[in-house]
Amino acid sequence: MDPDAVAKIFVEHYYTTFDTNRAGLANLYQDGSMLTFEGQQILGAQNIVSKLASLPFDQCKHTIATVDCQPSGPAGGMLVFVSGHLRLSGEQHELKFSQMFHLMPTPQGSFYVFNDIFRLNYA
Amino acid sequence: MDPDAVAKIFVEHYYTTFDTNRAGLANLYQDGSMLTFEGQQILGAQNIVSKLASLPFDQCKHTIATVDCQPSGPAGGMLVFVSGHLRLSGEQHELKFSQMFHLMPTPQGSFYVFNDIFRLNYA
């Protein structure tokens, strides 16, 4: 499958799940997965989802502006770089963000998130 | 050496070289290196440096806001995620950007850039 198509499907799935059922993101990470969220380093699917679930807003809506993708090396991984903005429930203001994912293949022919780095882009 | 320290030294070296001697960036890439610059895909050190040299401004100044770093897997690579802003010569206005690098180790104990994705973050 075309890497750009995989990246696009992943990004759509990730942010739709984030915006509608944050706990459902657990399936996308594994024990060795890493998240750096606004500089805070978190290791492992369970800790990552706990962190995302504990963010101080109930709902948000991501809008994607750009998705870029490159193969990360011979192990079959893929780097996905996203920019966009998000709106928290009850807020008028939109926040710009950038996020990168390193997707690694699973034996089942799917991908999981090995690396995840998220930053808000303050004006 | 501490990965965060490596990332910080790399980032400082990269943007200082970009701002003072863009052609000097050639040493940081290899034949298999990839750059996605504002959505345009470029392969190989020579093409990457040609692209960077051809950007329509003589000088610019990057200012770094954040640097995040994670190991990318058993091959000893490192993901470096940067946000900041840049000012072109003769322009008052600053442009915000995000950039990610995938650094891979060389046999000489140094690193080269295998993946590089750059995006301006428009307001």
Side-chain angles (χ1 to χ4, degrees):
Chain A
M1 197 171 176
D2 169 35
D4 286 321
V6 173
K8 206 176 155 190
I9 289 168
F10 167 77
V11 165
E12 196 162 313
H13 177 63
Y14 182 90
Y15 292 106
T16 302
T17 306
F18 195 111
D19 293 351
T20 56
N21 171 30
R22 238 177 284 168
L25 294 171
N27 301 328
L28 298 177
Y29 298 93
Q30 295 191 2
D31 284 352
S33 299
M34 289 166 264
L35 167 66
T36 304
F37 186 89
E38 287 286 279
Q40 186 189 353
Q41 297 183 340
I42 300 142
L43 177 65
Q46 202 164 349
N47 293 328
I48 288 171
V49 174
S50 296
K51 170 66 185 176
L52 297 178
S54 75
L55 293 174
F57 49 83
D58 286 337
Q59 281 200 300
C60 68
K61 173 88 182 84
H62 290 79
T63 306
I64 304 311
T66 64
V67 179
D68 295 307
C69 162
Q70 289 180 2
S72 67
M78 207 161 69
L79 295 165
V80 182
F81 187 88
V82 181
S83 74
H85 51 265
L86 61 90
R87 186 190 294 265
L88 307 184
S89 59
E91 297 273 349
Q92 290 297 319
H93 199 65
E94 286 191 327
L95 302 166
K96 288 151 58 68
F97 74 93
S98 302
Q99 188 162 12
M100 59 141 295
F101 301 95
H102 186 198
L103 306 182
M104 291 298 288
T106 65
Q108 294 77 32
S110 184
F111 287 92
Y112 74 98
V113 179
F114 184 63
N115 301 96
D116 179 352
I117 302 180
F118 174 93
R119 279 283 178 184
L120 290 173
N121 300 130
Y122 292 105
Chain B
M1 195 172 178
D2 170 33
D4 286 321
V6 174
K8 206 176 154 187
I9 289 169
F10 166 78
V11 165
E12 197 162 312
H13 177 62
Y14 182 90
Y15 292 107
T16 302
T17 306
F18 196 111
D19 293 352
T20 57
N21 170 31
R22 238 177 283 165
L25 294 171
N27 300 327
L28 298 176
Y29 298 92
Q30 294 191 3
D31 285 352
S33 299
M34 288 165 265
L35 167 66
T36 305
F37 186 89
E38 288 285 280
Q40 185 189 352
Q41 296 183 341
I42 299 142
L43 178 65
Q46 202 165 348
N47 294 328
I48 288 170
V49 174
S50 296
K51 169 68 185 176
L52 297 178
S54 76
L55 292 174
F57 50 83
D58 285 337
Q59 280 201 298
C60 69
K61 173 87 182 82
H62 290 79
T63 306
I64 305 310
T66 65
V67 179
D68 296 307
C69 162
Q70 290 180 1
S72 66
M78 206 160 69
L79 295 165
V80 182
F81 186 88
V82 181
S83 73
H85 51 265
L86 61 91
R87 186 190 295 266
L88 307 184
S89 59
E91 297 271 349
Q92 291 297 320
H93 197 66
E94 286 191 327
L95 301 166
K96 287 151 58 70
F97 75 93
S98 302
Q99 188 162 12
M100 61 143 293
F101 301 95
H102 186 197
L103 306 182
M104 291 298 287
T106 65
Q108 293 77 32
S110 184
F111 286 92
Y112 74 98
V113 178
F114 184 63
N115 302 96
D116 179 353
I117 302 179
F118 174 91
R119 279 283 177 184
L120 291 172
N121 300 130
Y122 293 105

